[in-house]
Each structure stands twice: as structure tokens, then as C-alpha cells.
Amino acid sequence: MIKSVLSILSDLVRINSVNSSYEGGPGEGEVARYVKSFFEEHGIEVEEQIVFPGRNNVIAHLPGCDPNRRLVLEAHMDTVSVKGMTISPFEPTVADGKMYGRGSCDTKAGLAAMMHALAEIKASGVVPPCEVVLAAVVDEEFSFRGVVKLCNGLEADAGIVAEPTEMRVVVASKGTLRWRIVVRGKAAHSAKPHLGINAVSHMARIVLALEKDHADLAAHGHPLLGPATCNVGVIRGGVQVNFVPDECAIEIDRRMLPGETAAGVLAHYQSILDALHTLHADLDVSMESPMLVDEALETEQDASIVVAASRVLMDLGFDGSPAGVPFCSDASKLSRAGIPTIIFGPGSIDQAHAAVEWVPISEVEQAAEFYRRVILSFE
Ligand SMILES: [Zn+2]
């Protein structure tokens, strides 16, 4: 007997799998044990892959007619923290056609739907055209180490990553680049400011120059993603009011489009700083190496996984046209490993990480059917 997709989802939500990099988070251990025994109970071969001590990816294999072709289904097992939640995070509640709880949307719904699809195909005795690998991975919500480990040596012909996409086939997502710019000035008594170099004043020039540059970004949009964006999110400088500040730093979050590289983007910002330096000889500014680099995802719209997924979605009565999302996921890492990858899952990113997290139950059930049909039709 296969449990309903809804009861698999309830079981998953009931298990606290807050990423252990967040305060009080136990990590994925208990969910990993649940996923592993689910596949064992259904006679599906399953193995574990150690990512960190006590934090393993769980990888199930379903043989296909063609052992040389492989489809990877991937979903993360961790969640963000429960801080600020206004519902019980680990008591899965059903009301108004929705399932509530931490991870119900991001991304235990997609994981439950993928697990159900595999179990159903196994029970039916039908052998899918290609080998199917279902990877339930750790650490998507912090540093993506689970998928990086998975991709190490992985060969596959297509990938589907579960994230809430409101039942759209997502072929493009923005990348993220985060780094710091630091200005060094010269300290002096505030009664004699001409003896110092004010790092805060210099940084103000830089922030305004960036703002001007960001307006230009809006002029060039990607058809599915819109324009790249940039946000100066943090500024720190100065020690106390009667000192000339000798240091000021900003932190920048730049969302990248397909085709942009971190090196190319950083070179552009360096040229802005160089231009300011020619106007202000005493400007001492440097860019630190990035804190985060995640390049964008763009899968060809005529890739066979996109064609297969769009057809299945249309058969189920949904919009099958390819879409884009602004958020990062594991998909860009599979794509960089040479695997044409789409993102697909029930629910909306607006409810992910939210104080009240929920997913529409009907979408979870339809997503299971979507994954099942794609597995059976992808050749
Ligand atoms: Zn997610």
C-alpha cells in the first residue's frame, strides 16, 4: 500500500528539519531516515551519500529500459528556521484546501510528490524509459553543499528540481552575487577634519555612483526574468561623532541574468571605482572577494526535458509555457554540471520562508501526477 501524497507530506512536515546552520536547527537526519525507509519499504534501491558528518543525501534508483539514460529528480530536505512563525511549525494542519506548516511549501510538498510518483511507478511494475534517480539532499537553505556533493561525478540527461513554481515549468532563474566594498580613510580629530580623510564621505560618492549605474540595469531585460537588479543592503562606517571616520564598508547584493559571470560583473564595478579614483586622488577603495556566487540558470527551451514537461502540464490542463523565477535553487548547480534542468513544484515562493507557510493540497496531488507522467514519458 502506498500512502497518499498528503499523508507523506504530513509525515515530512511533522519532522523538524531546520538547517543546522540556523539556531536550534537539528538538520536533516530524521527526514533522511524517513525518506530512506520509505524507499526500502517500497522495494526501491536506496543509498546514502555523506555530505557532512550526520548529514547525508538520500539517493533512490529506479532502473529504466535504457540503462545509459538517466533522469534526476532532486528536492532538498532542510527548511529555514521557524523564527517569527505565527502557526505551529511542526503540526501539519489541513484547512481550506491547504496544508500548513514549516516546509509544507518549501519544499517538502515537492519531495512528497516525487516520492509518491516513484513508489507508484514501482508498484505498477512499469519500467520507465530511462533510469530515474531521486536525490533528497541536505543544505539547500544555507550553502548548497548537498547538491554540490550530488553533482560530483553525476552523469544525467535531464534534471527536475522541486521548488514552489506555482505549477509552471521554470527554465530560467537569476543568479546572486554578494560582496563588500571597503573605503579606507585617515582618522583625525573632528575639530581639524582637514587633517583626515573622511571614509564615509567617499563611500557616499560610491553609493550614489552605484545608484546611477543601477538605473542603467533596468534598460536591459531577459524575456523571462526581467532586468538584473542590485541593492546596497548594509553600510557601516565611523567610530564616534568627534572622529573623522577612517573606514566605511558596504555590502552589495547583485542579481545576475543568464550570460553574466561573477568575474564580468565584478570587473564592471571595479571600473566604476576606478573612474571615481581619477576624480578623487585620495580615494582608497577596494573590493573584497565575494561572500556568495551563484550563477543564473537558463535551460534551452527545446531541451527534451522542457518539451516533455510542457506537454505533460498541458495534458493536465495547466499552462505549459516556460517561465522564469528570480530566486536561487539547486537547479543552477545541476545545470552547471552539464545536466539540462528545470524547476517545477507545487505552491508559491510567496509562502516559502513565511510566517504562515502553506501549500494548496490539489497542487501537491497534481504535482505527483506530473512527476509520474514525466518519468514515464521522458526518453
Ligand atoms: Zn526550497
Side-chain angles (χ1 to χ4, degrees):
M1 249 317 264
I2 307 168
K3 280 186 170 183
S4 71
V5 63
L6 195 61
S7 84
I8 300 170
L9 177 56
S10 297
D11 291 347
L12 292 172
V13 170
R14 203 167 282 123
I15 303 170
N16 174 354
S17 64
V18 170
N19 191 302
S20 48
S21 295
Y22 298 121
E23 200 185 321
E28 305 85 352
E30 201 183 334
V31 166
R33 279 188 288 281
Y34 177 90
V35 174
K36 188 165 181 248
S37 48
F38 176 89
F39 287 120
E40 285 168 347
E41 281 161 23
H42 291 92
I44 296 170
E45 187 198 324
V46 60
E47 55 173 343
E48 285 182 88
Q49 180 181 48
I50 299 170
V51 181
F52 303 102
R55 298 178 69 189
N56 302 346
N57 293 338
V58 178
I59 304 172
H61 298 263
L62 199 60
C65 296
D66 183 348
N68 297 315
R69 282 184 64 77
R70 191 171 297 128
L71 172 63
V72 178
L73 273 62
E74 196 260 24
H76 63 87
M77 298 184 286
D78 58 324
T79 71
V80 291
S81 98
V82 298
K83 259 197 192 137
M85 285 192 85
T86 53
I87 55 168
S88 302
F90 309 119
E91 272 171 43
T93 314
V94 173
D96 307 325
K98 299 166 182 168
M99 158 86 71
Y100 292 83
R102 178 52 92 220
S104 60
C105 174
D106 183 13
T107 211
K108 290 178 173 176
L111 175 59
M114 287 177 165
M115 290 165 67
H116 190 270
L118 235 67
E120 218 177 11
I121 292 169
K122 173 71 181 177
S124 73
V126 176
V127 178
C130 302
E131 186 194 352
V132 182
V133 172
L134 192 159
V137 306
V138 301
D139 197 39
E140 193 271 347
E141 297 290 5
F142 189 70
S143 63
F144 302 108
R145 299 307 299 171
V147 70
V148 168
K149 181 81 180 191
L150 173 71
C151 286
N152 197 351
L154 178 69
E155 284 181 25
D157 299 278
I160 307 177
V161 168
E163 286 291 345
T165 66
E166 300 179 65
M167 306 296 278
R168 295 291 301 271
V169 173
V170 167
V171 297
S173 65
K174 287 183 181 175
T176 303
L177 178 62
R178 291 184 188 146
W179 78 104
R180 270 162 48 99
I181 293 177
V182 182
V183 169
R184 299 199 198 281
K186 189 176 160 205
H189 193 292
S190 62
K192 292 185 170 183
H194 56 282
L195 297 180
I197 299 170
N198 191 314
V200 167
S201 297
H202 272 322
M203 188 57 90
R205 294 182 229 292
I206 292 171
V207 171
L208 291 177
L210 295 185
E211 188 180 64
K212 191 163 170 290
D213 183 67
H214 298 157
D216 298 340
L217 288 178
H220 309 283
H222 180 279
L224 297 178
L225 297 172
T229 58
C230 192
N231 182 58
V232 177
V234 173
I235 184 164
R236 282 194 193 94
V239 178
Q240 62 183 56
V241 69
N242 57 352
F243 287 8
V244 173
D246 63 351
E247 189 175 301
C248 187
I250 56 173
E251 294 182 13
I252 303 177
D253 178 305
R254 170 71 155 72
R255 299 297 161 128
M256 297 186 290
L257 294 181
E260 288 190 312
T261 63
V265 170
L266 291 171
H268 172 73
Y269 284 86
Q270 185 62 55
S271 74
I272 295 172
L273 299 181
D274 291 346
L276 279 172
H277 185 70
T278 62
L279 298 173
H280 304 277
D282 63 352
L283 172 61
D284 177 0
V285 58
S286 55
M287 298 209 304
E288 293 185 352
S289 41
M291 303 171 274
L292 178 80
V293 181
D294 181 36
E295 283 170 11
L297 168 76
E298 184 161 52
T299 298
E300 298 290 341
Q301 297 193 13
D302 59 0
S304 44
I305 186 61
V306 179
V307 174
S310 295
R311 189 174 300 140
V312 167
L313 255 193
M314 283 190 287
D315 289 348
L316 290 171
F318 289 90
D319 181 354
S321 61
V325 293
F327 59 83
C328 299
S329 76
D330 283 348
S332 56
K333 292 70 172 171
L334 285 159
S335 173
R336 272 207 298 287
I339 303 167
T341 299
I342 60 166
I343 313 172
F344 178 88
S348 162
I349 199 69
D350 296 345
Q351 273 81 51
H353 307 190
V356 180
E357 182 172 349
W358 53 268
V359 67
I361 289 167
S362 62
E363 288 189 11
V364 185
E365 288 163 345
Q366 284 161 318
E369 181 61 9
F370 166 88
Y371 296 129
R372 192 184 71 84
R373 291 196 194 188
V374 172
I375 291 169
L376 293 179
S377 64
F378 181 77
E379 299 185 330

